[in-house]
Amino acid sequence: MLKKMLRYVGIGLLCLGLFLACILALAWKDLGSDPSGEHLQRISQSPQYDPKSKRFVNPNQEEYDKMMKAFDFQALLHKRFFGKEVRTPSQTMPEIKPDLLQFLQSDSLTYHWLGHSTILARLDSQTLLLDPIFTNAAPVPLAIGRFQPPVLRPEELPKIDAIFISHDHYDHLDRPSILPFKDTQTHFFVPLGVSSHLISWGIPTERITELDWWESAVLGNLQVVCTPSQHFSGRRGPPGNTTLWASWVVMGQSERFYFSGDSGYGPHFERIGEKYGPFDVAFMESGQYNTIWPLAHMFPQETVQASLDIHTRKTQPIHWGMFVLSTHDWFAPPEKVIEHAQNTSLKILTPQIGASVTPSQPQRFDRWWESLPSHTPP
C-alpha cells in the first residue's frame, strides 16, 4: 500500500513539474533580460545605484528594507481570500471608444485613460503612450487577468511617437504590449537598465533613450525629464532592483504634465514641483495601496498631498480599475481621492475608460462606478 501511495505521489510530482516547466517555457521570453556587461557597468555609476548591494536604491532604502523584511504574506492571503471588500466589478465597466481622428486634431493637451496606468496623450503634435498594458499583469496566462478587454487594441492605435515606461513590473512593462511597436518608428523613454528588456524583445537600441533621475531629453518640441519615484523593480522575484524606477515630466510649449508611475509618498514630489511645476494635469498613482507595503504605493490621502506638492491644477487617478493587485474595493481609489481633495483647490478628473479629456477645458465627470450593482460605500 505504501509503495503504491509513493508511486502516485511520484506521478503527481512529475505532472506538477511538467506543468510548471510548460508555464515557465511560455513565460520565459516575457521575463526580459537584466542589465549585464558594459551596460551594467555604465548604469552602476548612477547615484541611485549601491555598489555594495549591487542594486538600485531609494533614498530611504533602509526603511524600505525593513518594510520588506516585515512583509506579512499570511495576513495578505487571509484578507485576499476572506476579506469582504468588492475587488472586481460585477459587470463590464462603462467605457467610451476614443475618437482618434478628433484626438489627432487636438490643439491642446488631450488624453485618454485606458485603465490602470495606461495613458494615450497628445501634446504639441506628439502622440504619447504611457505604461501600455493591453493584456494581463503577469507573464503566466490568467494569473492576474484584466477586468475586461482593452478599449483600444494595439493595432487600433494611431502612430505613436513615443512610449514612456516607469519601471519594469509586469503591470507597467508587458512584452506582448511592446511587440506591436517592434517594427515601427516609435521611440522609447525608460529609466536606467530597462532598455535591457526592450533590446531582448527586439527593440533597436537607437530607438531607446535611457535616463537617470533628473536627466532630460528632447522629443520634437517637447522636453522630457526622468524624475524620481519611491518604489522597486524586478521581474524574477527577490532581490530585484537591477533596473531603476521613475516618474516622468513632459513639457510642451505652453502645457505640461506629470506621470507618477508607481511611488510611495516622499519628499521627491515637492522637489519635482519646485523644479517643474505647476502642471496642467498629473497622472497620479492612487490604487493598490496596503498597510503591508506603505512605502511602495500611496494611500488616497497621499495621492492628494503629492498632487499639491507638485503644484498640479488637476489630477487623474491612475493605477486602479483593471487588475486586483491589493485588497481594497476596486472603486475605492477614486472615491477616497475625491473625498480627501474636497477642501483643497485640486480638481480630480474621473473619466470613464477611453473618454477624451482636455485639461484646459472645463469638463464634468460623474462617479460612473456607482452605477454598477456591486458598488457599496468603501
Side-chain angles (χ1 to χ4, degrees):
M1 177 66 71
L2 179 60
K3 183 182 286 188
K4 191 174 183 179
M5 185 180 299
L6 289 174
R7 182 186 174 191
Y8 286 140
V9 169
I11 292 173
L13 290 174
L14 178 61
C15 291
L16 178 61
L18 290 172
F19 174 75
L20 293 175
C22 291
I23 292 295
L24 182 60
L26 288 171
W28 185 256
K29 289 185 178 179
D30 290 351
L31 298 180
S33 179
D34 287 335
S36 61
E38 286 186 18
H39 184 206
L40 177 58
Q41 185 176 5
R42 175 166 47 84
I43 66 175
S44 65
Q45 305 305 308
S46 165
Q48 280 58 253
Y49 193 86
D50 176 26
K52 185 176 180 180
S53 61
K54 297 182 179 180
R55 61 176 179 165
F56 287 98
V57 295
N58 293 292
N60 63 340
Q61 192 62 42
E62 188 174 339
E63 297 174 45
Y64 213 98
D65 289 340
K66 289 179 181 177
M67 178 191 75
M68 297 305 291
K69 189 174 182 180
F71 192 95
D72 193 340
F73 191 67
Q74 185 176 351
L76 179 66
L77 286 179
H78 184 271
K79 191 164 187 181
R80 175 68 181 86
F81 291 105
F82 299 103
K84 297 181 180 179
E85 293 82 4
V86 182
R87 297 199 184 90
T88 60
S90 60
Q91 62 186 49
T92 301
M93 295 179 290
E95 61 184 27
I96 298 173
K97 193 74 171 182
D99 183 338
L100 295 177
L101 181 60
Q102 182 179 358
F103 169 75
L104 293 174
Q105 295 173 344
S106 302
D107 294 325
S108 301
L109 167 61
T110 300
Y111 73 87
H112 297 269
W113 175 57
L114 305 184
H116 199 58
S117 297
T118 302
I119 300 289
L120 175 65
R122 180 82 172 169
L123 177 60
D124 287 7
S125 300
Q126 297 291 319
T127 302
L128 316 173
L129 192 59
L130 290 75
D131 281 2
I133 298 294
F134 298 102
T135 58
N136 300 328
V140 179
L142 304 180
I144 304 178
R146 301 175 62 91
F147 291 168
Q148 61 197 53
V151 66
L152 280 178
R153 299 186 304 277
E155 60 269 24
E156 296 178 295
L157 291 170
K159 174 181 172 291
I160 302 297
D161 295 297
I163 289 176
F164 292 81
I165 303 295
S166 63
H167 63 297
D168 71 0
H169 284 158
Y170 290 102
D171 59 319
H172 298 264
L173 178 61
D174 170 56
R175 177 176 171 265
S177 298
I178 295 297
L179 289 182
F181 303 96
K182 180 179 174 181
D183 298 320
T184 68
Q185 295 304 308
T186 301
H187 200 81
F188 288 80
F189 290 90
V190 301
L192 291 182
V194 176
S195 66
S196 59
H197 299 307
L198 300 182
I199 292 169
S200 74
W201 298 334
I203 304 298
T205 306
E206 60 270 19
R207 283 174 41 211
I208 305 172
T209 297
E210 187 173 82
L211 300 175
D212 199 352
W213 292 351
W214 306 117
E215 290 184 338
S216 62
V218 173
L219 175 69
N221 292 324
L222 304 180
Q223 183 182 3
V224 172
V225 186
C226 179
T227 46
S229 68
Q230 180 179 289
H231 201 54
F232 64 108
S233 67
R235 297 172 72 83
R236 294 176 172 83
N241 287 10
T242 59
T243 64
L244 187 60
W245 45 95
S247 57
W248 293 97
V249 168
V250 180
M251 298 179 287
Q253 298 297 301
S254 61
E255 296 176 285
R256 61 187 59 191
F257 68 79
Y258 172 74
F259 179 74
S260 73
D262 279 5
S263 181
Y265 181 73
H268 57 284
F269 289 112
E270 189 171 359
R271 190 175 175 195
I272 291 168
E274 290 171 353
K275 289 177 69 71
Y276 300 111
F279 294 95
D280 296 281
V281 67
F283 305 109
M284 195 71 78
E285 184 209 275
S286 64
Q288 317 316 326
Y289 51 84
N290 198 303
T291 54
I292 296 176
W293 52 73
L295 300 178
H297 295 287
M298 287 189 287
F299 292 88
Q301 64 269 27
E302 293 175 321
T303 297
V304 172
Q305 186 58 55
S307 299
L308 297 173
D309 289 350
I310 67 166
H311 309 301
T312 183
R313 299 181 178 93
K314 299 179 179 182
T315 284
Q316 160 79 58
I318 60 171
H319 208 233
W320 75 282
M322 197 54 70
F323 303 108
V324 178
L325 298 172
S326 187
T327 56
H328 55 68
D329 291 310
W330 72 270
F331 50 82
E335 288 254 3
K336 291 184 176 292
V337 168
I338 291 172
E339 175 187 331
H340 288 287
Q342 280 181 350
N343 297 320
T344 74
S345 60
L346 187 63
K347 173 71 174 177
I348 305 301
L349 309 180
T350 57
Q352 291 183 20
I353 293 172
S356 176
V357 182
T358 303
S360 63
Q361 298 177 359
Q363 291 176 274
R364 187 177 183 277
F365 301 100
D366 296 326
R367 300 188 184 199
W368 53 265
W369 53 88
E370 293 183 350
S371 66
L372 301 184
S374 64
H375 178 273
T376 56

